[in-house]
Amino acid sequence: SQQGEEDPQALSIQEGENATMNCSYKTSINNLQWYRQNSGRGLVHLILIRSNEREKHSGRLRVTLDTSKKSSSLLITASRAADTASYFCATDPTGGFKTIFGAGTRLFVKA
Amino acid sequence: DSGVTQTPKHLITATGQRVTLRCSPRSGDLSVYWYQQSLDQGLQFLIQYYNGEERAKGNILERFSAQQFPDLHSELNLSSLELGDSALYFCASSVGGSFGDTQYFGPGTRLTVL
């Protein structure tokens, strides 16, 4: 099964609301990244958080990492219709040899 | 625009055929990664090349092969195609060979096997 598992699978919210997506993983990691994918397009890197960091911000994005629970969350504040996309977490396992992507959360932001 | 280019954008072919997908990484990036994305399997890592050499292998079938050329562009060859090979194939590149590096994705090639 996937190293990274996003939750929920799909999320539908109104414009202006906050959206929170969660990612759980199984093994120790060096870092965790979040990517966005618009329908049928390539993934776009959003933010990277290292294993020794607990929280990171980038514009309207806030990422937290709890290595004791092996989980991360991505918060998008004041969502916009343009935020409609799939969001993936990707982990870089320690001692591993490849980045592992989760199945993604599909976010729908209604105008 | 990520700076990663992939050709062709769309490919429609028949079962049993062979196709070649091409990727040009961002200028200065030495690593190229190939991924397959299908509805039921999600994003699956296939293979990585770093500066012309194979660096890591993922869930790549024996019918598939890849290479990275001296100019750093890469090709993914898919042979004896089956219906289940229909998917989006993405190439990504990064500066270094570490999997912790940020990867920049191309727009993808949509393969349809009829």
mmCIF file of all heavy atoms in Angstrom, chain A residues 46-86:
data_model
loop_
_atom_site.group_PDB
_atom_site.id
_atom_site.type_symbol
_atom_site.label_atom_id
_atom_site.label_comp_id
_atom_site.label_asym_id
_atom_site.label_seq_id
_atom_site.Cartn_x
_atom_site.Cartn_y
_atom_site.Cartn_z
ATOM 1 N N LEU A 46 4.212 22.444 -3.919
ATOM 2 C CA LEU A 46 3.677 23.530 -3.091
ATOM 3 C C LEU A 46 4.632 23.891 -1.963
ATOM 4 O O LEU A 46 4.974 25.057 -1.777
ATOM 5 C CB LEU A 46 2.332 23.113 -2.495
ATOM 6 C CG LEU A 46 1.182 22.909 -3.477
ATOM 7 C CD1 LEU A 46 -0.054 22.406 -2.745
ATOM 8 C CD2 LEU A 46 0.881 24.188 -4.241
ATOM 9 N N ILE A 47 5.022 22.887 -1.199
ATOM 10 C CA ILE A 47 5.785 23.181 0.011
ATOM 11 C C ILE A 47 6.499 21.915 0.489
ATOM 12 O O ILE A 47 6.005 20.801 0.285
ATOM 13 C CB ILE A 47 4.840 23.737 1.098
ATOM 14 C CG1 ILE A 47 5.595 24.416 2.224
ATOM 15 C CG2 ILE A 47 3.885 22.666 1.613
ATOM 16 C CD1 ILE A 47 4.710 25.282 3.109
ATOM 17 N N LEU A 48 7.657 22.098 1.099
ATOM 18 C CA LEU A 48 8.420 20.986 1.666
ATOM 19 C C LEU A 48 8.619 21.260 3.149
ATOM 20 O O LEU A 48 8.938 22.387 3.533
ATOM 21 C CB LEU A 48 9.779 20.860 0.966
ATOM 22 C CG LEU A 48 10.751 19.781 1.437
ATOM 23 C CD1 LEU A 48 11.650 19.350 0.273
ATOM 24 C CD2 LEU A 48 11.624 20.255 2.596
ATOM 25 N N ILE A 49 8.417 20.253 3.954
ATOM 26 C CA ILE A 49 8.677 20.384 5.391
ATOM 27 C C ILE A 49 9.628 19.269 5.796
ATOM 28 O O ILE A 49 9.436 18.108 5.428
ATOM 29 C CB ILE A 49 7.362 20.372 6.206
ATOM 30 C CG1 ILE A 49 7.641 20.652 7.690
ATOM 31 C CG2 ILE A 49 6.574 19.077 6.022
ATOM 32 C CD1 ILE A 49 6.402 21.028 8.487
ATOM 33 N N ARG A 50 10.677 19.630 6.513
ATOM 34 C CA ARG A 50 11.678 18.650 6.894
ATOM 35 C C ARG A 50 11.267 17.964 8.192
ATOM 36 O O ARG A 50 10.458 18.484 8.958
ATOM 37 C CB ARG A 50 13.044 19.319 7.044
ATOM 38 C CG ARG A 50 13.499 19.994 5.769
ATOM 39 C CD ARG A 50 14.947 20.419 5.781
ATOM 40 N NE ARG A 50 15.252 21.209 4.602
ATOM 41 C CZ ARG A 50 15.442 20.716 3.386
ATOM 42 N NH1 ARG A 50 15.364 19.414 3.189
ATOM 43 N NH2 ARG A 50 15.708 21.499 2.370
ATOM 44 N N SER A 51 11.883 16.850 8.454
ATOM 45 C CA SER A 51 11.472 16.044 9.607
ATOM 46 C C SER A 51 11.711 16.755 10.924
ATOM 47 O O SER A 51 11.073 16.431 11.934
ATOM 48 C CB SER A 51 12.198 14.693 9.605
ATOM 49 O OG SER A 51 13.589 14.888 9.681
ATOM 50 N N ASN A 52 12.620 17.730 10.959
ATOM 51 C CA ASN A 52 12.881 18.447 12.214
ATOM 52 C C ASN A 52 12.054 19.741 12.324
ATOM 53 O O ASN A 52 12.243 20.525 13.253
ATOM 54 C CB ASN A 52 14.369 18.774 12.363
ATOM 55 C CG ASN A 52 14.874 19.665 11.253
ATOM 56 O OD1 ASN A 52 14.151 19.943 10.289
ATOM 57 N ND2 ASN A 52 16.102 20.121 11.365
ATOM 58 N N GLU A 53 11.146 19.948 11.388
ATOM 59 C CA GLU A 53 10.247 21.100 11.434
ATOM 60 C C GLU A 53 8.854 20.644 11.844
ATOM 61 O O GLU A 53 8.440 19.526 11.529
ATOM 62 C CB GLU A 53 10.197 21.792 10.067
ATOM 63 C CG GLU A 53 11.550 22.349 9.633
ATOM 64 C CD GLU A 53 11.510 22.933 8.232
ATOM 65 O OE1 GLU A 53 11.040 22.234 7.308
ATOM 66 O OE2 GLU A 53 11.959 24.084 8.065
ATOM 67 N N ARG A 54 8.148 21.525 12.507
ATOM 68 C CA ARG A 54 6.788 21.170 12.956
ATOM 69 C C ARG A 54 5.718 21.912 12.175
ATOM 70 O O ARG A 54 4.586 21.436 12.053
ATOM 71 C CB ARG A 54 6.636 21.481 14.449
ATOM 72 C CG ARG A 54 7.466 20.584 15.329
ATOM 73 C CD ARG A 54 7.009 19.134 15.208
ATOM 74 N NE ARG A 54 8.001 18.211 15.750
ATOM 75 C CZ ARG A 54 8.816 17.490 14.997
ATOM 76 N NH1 ARG A 54 8.759 17.564 13.680
ATOM 77 N NH2 ARG A 54 9.680 16.663 15.549
ATOM 78 N N GLU A 55 6.070 23.089 11.671
ATOM 79 C CA GLU A 55 5.068 23.894 10.960
ATOM 80 C C GLU A 55 5.784 24.770 9.950
ATOM 81 O O GLU A 55 6.913 25.209 10.169
ATOM 82 C CB GLU A 55 4.310 24.761 11.974
ATOM 83 C CG GLU A 55 3.117 25.488 11.407
ATOM 84 C CD GLU A 55 2.291 26.156 12.496
ATOM 85 O OE1 GLU A 55 1.967 25.484 13.495
ATOM 86 O OE2 GLU A 55 1.974 27.347 12.343
ATOM 87 N N LYS A 56 5.089 24.976 8.829
ATOM 88 C CA LYS A 56 5.657 25.831 7.800
ATOM 89 C C LYS A 56 4.526 26.556 7.086
ATOM 90 O O LYS A 56 3.431 26.006 6.911
ATOM 91 C CB LYS A 56 6.446 24.989 6.799
ATOM 92 C CG LYS A 56 7.564 25.739 6.120
ATOM 93 C CD LYS A 56 8.572 24.780 5.554
ATOM 94 C CE LYS A 56 9.682 25.548 4.870
ATOM 95 N NZ LYS A 56 10.661 24.666 4.253
ATOM 96 N N HIS A 57 4.802 27.795 6.695
ATOM 97 C CA HIS A 57 3.782 28.597 6.018
ATOM 98 C C HIS A 57 4.309 29.037 4.663
ATOM 99 O O HIS A 57 5.503 29.280 4.479
ATOM 100 C CB HIS A 57 3.468 29.851 6.846
ATOM 101 C CG HIS A 57 2.881 29.569 8.181
ATOM 102 N ND1 HIS A 57 1.543 29.739 8.460
ATOM 103 C CD2 HIS A 57 3.437 29.094 9.321
ATOM 104 C CE1 HIS A 57 1.309 29.417 9.721
ATOM 105 N NE2 HIS A 57 2.440 29.015 10.263
ATOM 106 N N SER A 58 3.367 29.143 3.728
ATOM 107 C CA SER A 58 3.691 29.720 2.431
ATOM 108 C C SER A 58 2.417 30.336 1.890
ATOM 109 O O SER A 58 1.510 29.643 1.438
ATOM 110 C CB SER A 58 4.210 28.647 1.468
ATOM 111 O OG SER A 58 4.436 29.200 0.182
ATOM 112 N N GLY A 59 2.332 31.666 1.973
ATOM 113 C CA GLY A 59 1.112 32.342 1.530
ATOM 114 C C GLY A 59 -0.096 31.851 2.307
ATOM 115 O O GLY A 59 -0.116 31.906 3.542
ATOM 116 N N ARG A 60 -1.096 31.342 1.612
ATOM 117 C CA ARG A 60 -2.315 30.842 2.273
ATOM 118 C C ARG A 60 -2.189 29.386 2.713
ATOM 119 O O ARG A 60 -3.147 28.790 3.189
ATOM 120 C CB ARG A 60 -3.510 30.985 1.318
ATOM 121 C CG ARG A 60 -3.888 32.427 1.008
ATOM 122 C CD ARG A 60 -5.148 32.507 0.141
ATOM 123 N NE ARG A 60 -4.925 31.914 -1.186
ATOM 124 C CZ ARG A 60 -5.535 30.819 -1.617
ATOM 125 N NH1 ARG A 60 -6.400 30.184 -0.847
ATOM 126 N NH2 ARG A 60 -5.304 30.368 -2.832
ATOM 127 N N LEU A 61 -1.023 28.822 2.550
ATOM 128 C CA LEU A 61 -0.801 27.426 2.914
ATOM 129 C C LEU A 61 -0.115 27.323 4.268
ATOM 130 O O LEU A 61 0.806 28.073 4.565
ATOM 131 C CB LEU A 61 0.077 26.720 1.874
ATOM 132 C CG LEU A 61 -0.364 26.761 0.422
ATOM 133 C CD1 LEU A 61 0.637 26.004 -0.439
ATOM 134 C CD2 LEU A 61 -1.755 26.216 0.256
ATOM 135 N N ARG A 62 -0.596 26.375 5.068
ATOM 136 C CA ARG A 62 0.056 26.068 6.328
ATOM 137 C C ARG A 62 0.190 24.557 6.423
ATOM 138 O O ARG A 62 -0.794 23.829 6.292
ATOM 139 C CB ARG A 62 -0.750 26.608 7.508
ATOM 140 C CG ARG A 62 -0.210 26.197 8.870
ATOM 141 C CD ARG A 62 -1.055 26.793 9.979
ATOM 142 N NE ARG A 62 -0.734 26.164 11.267
ATOM 143 C CZ ARG A 62 -1.564 25.358 11.923
ATOM 144 N NH1 ARG A 62 -2.757 25.080 11.439
ATOM 145 N NH2 ARG A 62 -1.204 24.825 13.080
ATOM 146 N N VAL A 63 1.397 24.101 6.626
ATOM 147 C CA VAL A 63 1.655 22.660 6.717
ATOM 148 C C VAL A 63 2.179 22.362 8.105
ATOM 149 O O VAL A 63 3.018 23.092 8.641
ATOM 150 C CB VAL A 63 2.681 22.209 5.663
ATOM 151 C CG1 VAL A 63 3.143 20.790 5.933
ATOM 152 C CG2 VAL A 63 2.079 22.301 4.276
ATOM 153 N N THR A 64 1.664 21.303 8.697
ATOM 154 C CA THR A 64 2.193 20.826 9.974
ATOM 155 C C THR A 64 2.699 19.403 9.792
ATOM 156 O O THR A 64 2.259 18.676 8.907
ATOM 157 C CB THR A 64 1.122 20.852 11.073
ATOM 158 O OG1 THR A 64 0.052 19.969 10.707
ATOM 159 C CG2 THR A 64 0.580 22.258 11.284
ATOM 160 N N LEU A 65 3.636 19.044 10.636
ATOM 161 C CA LEU A 65 4.199 17.706 10.599
ATOM 162 C C LEU A 65 4.323 17.190 12.020
ATOM 163 O O LEU A 65 4.900 17.859 12.879
ATOM 164 C CB LEU A 65 5.565 17.703 9.916
ATOM 165 C CG LEU A 65 6.285 16.360 9.827
ATOM 166 C CD1 LEU A 65 5.507 15.380 8.957
ATOM 167 C CD2 LEU A 65 7.697 16.555 9.281
ATOM 168 N N ASP A 66 3.779 16.029 12.260
ATOM 169 C CA ASP A 66 3.898 15.379 13.567
ATOM 170 C C ASP A 66 4.574 14.030 13.335
ATOM 171 O O ASP A 66 3.916 13.059 12.936
ATOM 172 C CB ASP A 66 2.511 15.202 14.200
ATOM 173 C CG ASP A 66 2.579 14.668 15.625
ATOM 174 O OD1 ASP A 66 3.585 14.008 15.981
ATOM 175 O OD2 ASP A 66 1.624 14.900 16.388
ATOM 176 N N THR A 67 5.875 13.974 13.550
ATOM 177 C CA THR A 67 6.603 12.738 13.255
ATOM 178 C C THR A 67 6.260 11.630 14.256
ATOM 179 O O THR A 67 6.397 10.460 13.927
ATOM 180 C CB THR A 67 8.114 12.986 13.245
ATOM 181 O OG1 THR A 67 8.488 13.622 14.469
ATOM 182 C CG2 THR A 67 8.511 13.872 12.074
ATOM 183 N N SER A 68 5.821 11.998 15.452
ATOM 184 C CA SER A 68 5.454 10.961 16.416
ATOM 185 C C SER A 68 4.191 10.234 15.975
ATOM 186 O O SER A 68 4.030 9.037 16.229
ATOM 187 C CB SER A 68 5.252 11.569 17.808
ATOM 188 O OG SER A 68 4.118 12.420 17.814
ATOM 189 N N LYS A 69 3.310 10.945 15.298
ATOM 190 C CA LYS A 69 2.074 10.332 14.788
ATOM 191 C C LYS A 69 2.204 9.955 13.318
ATOM 192 O O LYS A 69 1.274 9.409 12.734
ATOM 193 C CB LYS A 69 0.892 11.288 14.963
ATOM 194 C CG LYS A 69 0.530 11.565 16.408
ATOM 195 C CD LYS A 69 -0.670 12.491 16.505
ATOM 196 C CE LYS A 69 -1.026 12.744 17.963
ATOM 197 N NZ LYS A 69 -2.138 13.715 18.103
ATOM 198 N N LYS A 70 3.344 10.264 12.734
ATOM 199 C CA LYS A 70 3.567 10.002 11.312
ATOM 200 C C LYS A 70 2.418 10.592 10.488
ATOM 201 O O LYS A 70 1.735 9.889 9.723
ATOM 202 C CB LYS A 70 3.725 8.512 11.045
ATOM 203 C CG LYS A 70 5.007 7.914 11.638
ATOM 204 C CD LYS A 70 5.203 6.476 11.197
ATOM 205 C CE LYS A 70 6.597 5.966 11.559
ATOM 206 N NZ LYS A 70 6.887 6.059 12.991
ATOM 207 N N SER A 71 2.212 11.881 10.686
ATOM 208 C CA SER A 71 1.118 12.515 9.950
ATOM 209 C C SER A 71 1.459 13.963 9.654
ATOM 210 O O SER A 71 2.278 14.593 10.348
ATOM 211 C CB SER A 71 -0.188 12.428 10.740
ATOM 212 O OG SER A 71 -0.118 13.223 11.898
ATOM 213 N N SER A 72 0.815 14.489 8.625
ATOM 214 C CA SER A 72 0.987 15.865 8.218
ATOM 215 C C SER A 72 -0.375 16.404 7.809
ATOM 216 O O SER A 72 -1.260 15.648 7.411
ATOM 217 C CB SER A 72 1.958 15.955 7.038
ATOM 218 O OG SER A 72 2.009 17.276 6.530
ATOM 219 N N SER A 73 -0.534 17.713 7.934
ATOM 220 C CA SER A 73 -1.769 18.319 7.449
ATOM 221 C C SER A 73 -1.433 19.522 6.589
ATOM 222 O O SER A 73 -0.433 20.202 6.814
ATOM 223 C CB SER A 73 -2.677 18.722 8.611
ATOM 224 O OG SER A 73 -2.092 19.786 9.322
ATOM 225 N N LEU A 74 -2.275 19.744 5.615
ATOM 226 C CA LEU A 74 -2.171 20.914 4.745
ATOM 227 C C LEU A 74 -3.443 21.722 4.921
ATOM 228 O O LEU A 74 -4.542 21.208 4.709
ATOM 229 C CB LEU A 74 -2.018 20.491 3.278
ATOM 230 C CG LEU A 74 -2.126 21.610 2.238
ATOM 231 C CD1 LEU A 74 -0.950 22.575 2.350
ATOM 232 C CD2 LEU A 74 -2.194 21.040 0.818
ATOM 233 N N LEU A 75 -3.278 22.973 5.329
ATOM 234 C CA LEU A 75 -4.408 23.879 5.496
ATOM 235 C C LEU A 75 -4.326 24.956 4.430
ATOM 236 O O LEU A 75 -3.289 25.607 4.282
ATOM 237 C CB LEU A 75 -4.386 24.511 6.888
ATOM 238 C CG LEU A 75 -5.325 25.688 7.125
ATOM 239 C CD1 LEU A 75 -6.784 25.235 7.098
ATOM 240 C CD2 LEU A 75 -4.998 26.377 8.450
ATOM 241 N N ILE A 76 -5.407 25.112 3.693
ATOM 242 C CA ILE A 76 -5.517 26.203 2.731
ATOM 243 C C ILE A 76 -6.543 27.174 3.301
ATOM 244 O O ILE A 76 -7.713 26.813 3.497
ATOM 245 C CB ILE A 76 -5.973 25.712 1.345
ATOM 246 C CG1 ILE A 76 -5.018 24.648 0.817
ATOM 247 C CG2 ILE A 76 -6.057 26.878 0.368
ATOM 248 C CD1 ILE A 76 -5.482 24.008 -0.486
ATOM 249 N N THR A 77 -6.113 28.384 3.592
ATOM 250 C CA THR A 77 -7.042 29.356 4.181
ATOM 251 C C THR A 77 -7.702 30.183 3.085
ATOM 252 O O THR A 77 -7.151 30.352 1.988
ATOM 253 C CB THR A 77 -6.311 30.293 5.151
ATOM 254 O OG1 THR A 77 -5.286 30.980 4.429
ATOM 255 C CG2 THR A 77 -5.696 29.521 6.296
ATOM 256 N N ALA A 78 -8.901 30.669 3.395
ATOM 257 C CA ALA A 78 -9.646 31.541 2.476
ATOM 258 C C ALA A 78 -9.612 30.979 1.054
ATOM 259 O O ALA A 78 -9.120 31.630 0.132
ATOM 260 C CB ALA A 78 -9.054 32.956 2.519
ATOM 261 N N SER A 79 -10.130 29.786 0.910
ATOM 262 C CA SER A 79 -10.016 29.077 -0.369
ATOM 263 C C SER A 79 -10.695 29.851 -1.504
ATOM 264 O O SER A 79 -11.625 30.639 -1.300
ATOM 265 C CB SER A 79 -10.628 27.682 -0.248
ATOM 266 O OG SER A 79 -12.009 27.795 0.030
ATOM 267 N N ARG A 80 -10.196 29.577 -2.695
ATOM 268 C CA ARG A 80 -10.710 30.191 -3.916
ATOM 269 C C ARG A 80 -11.096 29.100 -4.889
ATOM 270 O O ARG A 80 -10.596 27.971 -4.790
ATOM 271 C CB ARG A 80 -9.637 31.072 -4.554
ATOM 272 C CG ARG A 80 -9.076 32.125 -3.633
ATOM 273 C CD ARG A 80 -7.806 32.719 -4.196
ATOM 274 N NE ARG A 80 -7.230 33.700 -3.289
ATOM 275 C CZ ARG A 80 -5.997 34.196 -3.419
ATOM 276 N NH1 ARG A 80 -5.226 33.798 -4.402
ATOM 277 N NH2 ARG A 80 -5.544 35.079 -2.542
ATOM 278 N N ALA A 81 -11.934 29.417 -5.840
ATOM 279 C CA ALA A 81 -12.334 28.424 -6.846
ATOM 280 C C ALA A 81 -11.106 27.858 -7.560
ATOM 281 O O ALA A 81 -11.067 26.675 -7.915
ATOM 282 C CB ALA A 81 -13.298 29.050 -7.853
ATOM 283 N N ALA A 82 -10.096 28.695 -7.724
ATOM 284 C CA ALA A 82 -8.874 28.250 -8.415
ATOM 285 C C ALA A 82 -8.079 27.226 -7.618
ATOM 286 O O ALA A 82 -7.161 26.591 -8.156
ATOM 287 C CB ALA A 82 -7.979 29.449 -8.725
ATOM 288 N N ASP A 83 -8.419 27.045 -6.348
ATOM 289 C CA ASP A 83 -7.750 26.028 -5.542
ATOM 290 C C ASP A 83 -8.293 24.626 -5.839
ATOM 291 O O ASP A 83 -7.755 23.633 -5.339
ATOM 292 C CB ASP A 83 -7.920 26.318 -4.042
ATOM 293 C CG ASP A 83 -7.223 27.595 -3.610
ATOM 294 O OD1 ASP A 83 -6.176 27.930 -4.200
ATOM 295 O OD2 ASP A 83 -7.738 28.264 -2.683
ATOM 296 N N THR A 84 -9.362 24.543 -6.614
ATOM 297 C CA THR A 84 -9.925 23.241 -6.982
ATOM 298 C C THR A 84 -8.869 22.424 -7.709
ATOM 299 O O THR A 84 -8.362 22.833 -8.754
ATOM 300 C CB THR A 84 -11.165 23.421 -7.875
ATOM 301 O OG1 THR A 84 -12.193 24.050 -7.125
ATOM 302 C CG2 THR A 84 -11.655 22.087 -8.411
ATOM 303 N N ALA A 85 -8.523 21.283 -7.132
ATOM 304 C CA ALA A 85 -7.432 20.450 -7.654
ATOM 305 C C ALA A 85 -7.321 19.217 -6.774
ATOM 306 O O ALA A 85 -8.032 19.082 -5.778
ATOM 307 C CB ALA A 85 -6.112 21.215 -7.632
ATOM 308 N N SER A 86 -6.412 18.338 -7.149
ATOM 309 C CA SER A 86 -6.056 17.222 -6.272
ATOM 310 C C SER A 86 -4.756 17.567 -5.565
ATOM 311 O O SER A 86 -3.869 18.172 -6.158
ATOM 312 C CB SER A 86 -5.877 15.935 -7.077
ATOM 313 O OG SER A 86 -7.113 15.484 -7.580
#
